[in-house]
Amino acid sequence: MDEARIRRAIYGIARECGLEKTFCPTDVARKLSPLKWRAMMPQVIGAAKRMAGDGEILMVQQGEVVDPSRAKGAFRLKMAPE
């Protein structure tokens, strides 16, 4: 699946959640491929990290915004303030 479609899905869910709520990358993968969402995870995680690195969204761990290049383990995503 092309990255542009993944990015649109990430941004769409971020808009739905608004500035206060976070969401899991699995939400994106399940939206894009309900039956094979696990296979989508590497692409979704990569796109999310690049988007967070570009400041388009925020990556959150334990309630704190983290630098995607230094994040390890599970994370959630959040809409970045404009």
Side-chain angles (χ1 to χ4, degrees):
M1 183 170 302
D2 69 285
E3 183 153 331
R5 184 170 175 205
I6 296 169
R7 285 175 171 251
R8 284 191 303 272
I10 291 170
Y11 195 71
I13 293 173
R15 277 195 322 264
E16 289 172 13
C17 290
L19 293 173
E20 300 302 317
K21 295 181 183 176
T22 63
F23 62 98
C24 185
T26 60
D27 298 331
V28 178
R30 287 172 196 226
K31 181 176 183 172
L32 292 169
S33 183
L35 300 177
K36 297 183 180 185
W37 65 269
R38 283 184 178 89
M40 290 291 307
M41 287 304 294
Q43 289 177 279
V44 170
I45 289 169
K49 286 185 173 186
R50 286 185 285 280
M51 288 177 75
D54 293 341
E56 297 175 49
I57 59 170
L58 301 175
M59 183 177 284
V60 179
Q61 287 183 313
Q62 298 178 352
E64 300 293 324
V65 175
V66 295
D67 180 340
S69 66
R70 295 198 169 122
K72 293 190 191 262
F75 62 89
R76 294 186 63 83
L77 302 168
K78 184 176 180 178
M79 184 79 170
E82 294 185 23

